[in-house]
Every structure is written in structure tokens, then in C-alpha cells.
Amino acid sequence: MPETLARLAAVDPVWDRIRRECEEAVRQEPLLGGLIHGSILHHPTLERALSYRFSLKLASGEMSEQILREIADEAHARDDQLGQAARADMMAVLDRDPACHRLIQPILFFKGYQAIQAYRVANWLWRNGRTDMAYFVQMRVSEAFGVDIHPAARVGKGLMIDHAHSIVIGETAVVGDNVSMLHSVTLGGTGKEDGDRHPKIGDGVLIGAGAKVLGNIHVGHCSRIAAGSVVLMDVPPCSTVAGVPARVVGEAGCAQPSVTMEHRLSDGA
């Protein structure tokens, strides 16, 4: 694994671009020099920078920065998928969020991106039998970022959570690749039942602000869920659902709703 990271560091256009952006940012705003150097330029790889941000943001009187940084460093060293997902998530934010103009913005300023990367460390802990530590990370992510993702949930690459306030993703939820969601989205259950009880979201799905997707249901790939909808039934692929309870109101309107981020149900609507 160290050999893999060394090769990645040698040819890593994402990391190279981040460092160039940081150097330019320091020239433009010297007062941020300490933050930018400490968070990014001081580190040899994106993975190490992510570990530093993870420890800085989640440390508390209950758990020190040093311990949390060791945990995150171990996770990234043992599972290179975390770094790959981090890059995919970062590019998703840059591509889909019109407020994002540089790669340094997600890692420094966007709590949605930082919360997702912290969840990925918690998920690694969960998959390796360290469930109590995973729960601790989940708790701190919820407290620090207002994003509550159960560490057992399965989340694909290229996830973008815009604004990322009051996000809830339950224990048995599955989120595919290249999904976009807005603030106040819930992927939850519908009662006290145990077992597989949370939604399964396909690839390329766009979930609007305040939408609630409840129960062990399937949302087909490349579909759209309108803002404020309550989804209680399966959603066919490439369709748009809206309402309370949600119903199919048409086709998705494009090949990749999560990339276009188009929320209107029709022209002028």
C-alpha cells in the first residue's frame, strides 16, 4: 500500500492542481497563509491533508487531534479506495456546484465535502470491526457538520451534498455513484422494524432539498426527486417524482440529472 500511495503522489493531477491553487490563494490573501499551509501545503499527499482536516474538525475534549489523525492515516494507508472516492467527490463538487470555482474550496470550506470524507473513515472503521470508534466519528460528524450518516451505510463515489445541512442517511441505506443531493434530505426508515429498512438510491440520481425517501425502496438510476417530496414507493429509472406522497410526474428530462442539477419539472415550472 505505501508503494501505491507513492506512485499516486508522483502522478496526481488533482493534488498538483490543489497545491497550485493554494499557492495562488496565499499570494492573494496572505492572512490565510497559516490555514492553507497547515491544512494543505504542509502535507505530501491529498490523503494526508484529509487526515489532518479530519482530526482538526472532529477533535474534542473526548478525543485528541493526534488520535484521530492516526486513525484517519491508517484508514487511508490500508484502503486506497478512500483517496479515490475523495478525488471523485471533489471533482463532483467542482463540476456541479456553481459556487465552487477551485478545488481548494471543498477541502477548506465546504462542510458537505468534509463530512463525506469523515463518513468514509467511519465506514472503514465499521467494515473492520471497530464499530464503537465508528459510532464516535458519526457522532462528531453530526455535531460538527450537521450531517448524520450511519457508518454502516454504503455510499458510492462522486457524491455531492450541496449546503449539507440536516442530512440523514440510515444504517442500511445504499447510495450509488455520482449522486447529488441538497440540504435537509433524509434517507430513513418508516418505523421500528429492524433489518434492511432504508432506501437504495441508484447511480446518477438527483435528490432535491428537503426530500424524504423512506423505507426499503429503490430509486432507479438517473431519476429526479423534487424538493420537498416524500417518497414511499419505488421510483422507476430515468423518471421524475414529486409531491406528498411522491408520484411519477414525467421523465427525468436529461441523461444525468445529478450532473445537470436541473430541478425544474418543466420549462417555466
Side-chain angles (χ1 to χ4, degrees), residues 174-249:
V174 177
V175 179
D177 293 332
N178 299 316
V179 169
S180 295
M181 64 180 71
L182 279 290
H183 55 281
S184 300
V185 164
T186 296
L187 306 181
T190 58
K192 295 175 64 177
E193 70 273 15
D194 199 357
D196 196 358
R197 62 194 183 279
H198 295 105
K200 312 298 182 283
I201 309 298
D203 297 340
V205 171
L206 172 60
I207 308 178
K212 315 301 177 187
V213 188
L214 306 176
N216 185 16
I217 61 176
H218 290 76
V219 176
H221 66 273
C222 297
S223 291
R224 294 191 303 170
I225 298 174
S229 298
V230 177
V231 184
L232 302 173
M233 302 290 289
D234 288 352
V235 176
C238 304
S239 61
T240 296
V241 298
V244 181
R247 60 182 180 84
V248 177
V249 296

Side-chain angles (χ1 to χ4, degrees), residues 73-183:
D73 279 341
E74 181 184 4
H76 281 285
R78 292 181 177 272
D79 188 350
D80 60 3
Q81 292 296 312
L82 273 65
Q84 294 178 28
R87 288 167 175 80
D89 297 339
M90 187 175 293
M91 297 307 297
V93 176
L94 181 66
D95 183 46
R96 304 173 206 166
D97 185 351
C100 184
H101 308 288
R102 296 171 297 165
L103 291 179
I104 64 171
Q105 289 176 265
I107 190 172
L108 287 179
F109 307 127
F110 290 3
K111 70 175 185 177
Y113 178 80
Q114 296 176 37
I116 295 167
Q117 306 322 308
Y119 147 77
R120 295 195 187 283
V121 173
N123 177 255
W124 178 85
L125 289 165
W126 185 273
R127 289 185 284 109
N128 284 273
R130 301 172 64 179
T131 55
D132 288 331
M133 186 61 75
Y135 277 130
F136 177 84
V137 173
Q138 177 193 7
M139 176 190 73
R140 288 296 297 134
V141 171
S142 179
E143 293 172 345
F145 300 122
V147 174
D148 196 343
I149 307 177
H150 194 286
R154 290 182 286 159
V155 176
K157 299 176 183 177
L159 175 63
M160 195 277 284
I161 305 180
D162 196 12
H163 298 290
H165 184 72
S166 299
I167 296 291
V168 176
I169 300 178
E171 178 182 13
T172 61
V174 177
V175 179
D177 293 332
N178 299 316
V179 169
S180 295
M181 64 180 71
L182 279 290
H183 55 281

Side-chain angles (χ1 to χ4, degrees), residues 15 19 22 26 30-56 65 69 107-108:
W15 180 237
R19 293 183 65 86
C22 285
V26 172
L31 292 178
L32 287 176
L35 167 66
I36 293 172
H37 276 278
S39 296
I40 298 178
L41 292 175
H42 178 70
H43 305 284
T45 65
L46 175 59
E47 286 79 3
R48 295 289 291 275
L50 289 171
S51 293
Y52 175 82
R53 296 297 286 171
F54 171 89
S55 65
L56 186 70
E65 288 182 34
R69 189 169 177 181
I107 190 172
L108 287 179

